[in-house]
Amino acid sequence: MAIDPGLARRNAVLGGLDEDALAPLLPDLSETPLPAGQVLHEPGQAVNNVYLPLLGVVSVLADLGEDQVVETATIGREGMVGISVYLGADAPTERSLVQVPGRALSMTAEDFREHIADVDGPLATMLRRSAQALFTHVSRNAACNRVHTARQRAARWLLTTADRMDSPRFELTQHFLAQMLAVRRTSVSEVAQSLAEDGCITYTRGLITIIDRPRLQSHACTCYEAIRRATDAALAAR
């Protein structure tokens, strides 16, 4: 049975397609859960499926060796996991791992390549816009990790995750948050505690709840708004 168009449009890439462009994709899409910790793609290994998140957060991780893993970008419902296939690469250079559980629409890489054969078609156009937004995210993330404090970056990440989840409450472990912020777990505990003491969040047993979004946003670095504006502009471009 083909995926319902309304469900598909919850992903921004698919949501940017008109009815005629979306319809041929629906029979080749499958809804799939995204459990926390699931590895979707490994560096150097062929991509079998691409994923268009509906809910949840997937991290793109760089393994620096000596047990050092750093997040370089995150992907939610605004994008696609497996952009390397669109760019013509046989395999990604980084690992893609589910950080916040959710669900996605998946498609085999073989079917996906057939659908993007028309390089000037509407799907390819939306993927170019999504890739532009992702590149902005990666470059801004690198600068953010270099300049801004762990507290500022944590606030940014929590706000972005809430946007992608359509909820102020979501699951997140200290281990994953440490990877995202490129800090030790002890530093994560200190940051989470300080944001909780300031009345921004509660954090209990891996469950974060944003209780005062404006206050949390006041602690976030400027990268939150910059990335959000760039993503919205790229996906809305005509």
Side-chain angles (χ1 to χ4, degrees), residues 140-141 143-145 147-157 159-160 181 216-227 229:
R140 191 80 187 201
N141 206 44
C144 185
N145 286 342
V147 175
H148 296 138
T149 67
R151 181 185 172 97
Q152 289 176 308
R153 289 182 281 127
R156 168 176 71 88
W157 203 97
L159 289 166
T160 300
L181 302 179
L216 181 63
Q217 192 162 346
S218 72
H219 292 299
C221 56
T222 56
C223 296
Y224 169 66
E225 284 293 346
I227 292 173
R229 285 196 302 267

Side-chain angles (χ1 to χ4, degrees), residues 7-14 32 34 40 50-58 74-82 98 100 102-106 130 164:
L7 178 66
R9 292 189 186 283
R10 295 181 187 178
N11 175 273
V13 174
L14 299 177
T32 182
L34 295 177
L40 302 181
V50 299
Y51 299 86
L52 295 125
L54 305 172
L55 202 66
V57 179
V58 176
T74 57
I75 301 170
R77 62 185 182 183
E78 80 290 341
M80 185 186 80
V81 183
V98 179
V100 180
R103 63 187 190 278
L105 297 179
S106 64
S130 180
R164 287 167 168 165

Side-chain angles (χ1 to χ4, degrees), residues 31-167:
E31 188 173 4
T32 182
L34 295 177
Q38 180 179 358
V39 176
L40 302 181
H41 300 142
E42 285 281 16
Q45 296 184 11
V47 171
N48 295 319
N49 296 280
V50 299
Y51 299 86
L52 295 125
L54 305 172
L55 202 66
V57 179
V58 176
S59 286
V60 181
L61 302 173
D63 189 341
L64 306 181
E66 299 181 354
D67 294 326
Q68 295 187 72
V69 178
V70 177
E71 181 185 88
T72 60
T74 57
I75 301 170
R77 62 185 182 183
E78 80 290 341
M80 185 186 80
V81 183
I83 200 72
S84 59
V85 180
Y86 167 68
L87 296 174
D90 292 329
T93 57
E94 312 295 352
R95 177 180 297 118
S96 296
L97 180 143
V98 179
Q99 295 281 31
V100 180
R103 63 187 190 278
L105 297 179
S106 64
M107 180 184 292
T108 67
E110 181 179 0
D111 286 339
F112 177 73
R113 290 187 181 97
E114 292 181 3
H115 286 296
I116 60 170
D118 180 1
V119 296
D120 293 319
L123 177 59
T125 298
M126 285 304 300
L127 288 167
R128 281 194 293 272
R129 296 173 187 166
S130 180
Q132 177 186 340
L134 179 61
F135 295 156
T136 299
H137 187 165
V138 170
S139 61
R140 191 80 187 201
N141 206 44
C144 185
N145 286 342
R146 176 68 178 84
V147 175
H148 296 138
T149 67
R151 181 185 172 97
Q152 289 176 308
R153 289 182 281 127
R156 168 176 71 88
W157 203 97
L158 295 175
L159 289 166
T160 300
T161 301
D163 292 343
R164 287 167 168 165
M165 298 299 290
D166 267 343
S167 172

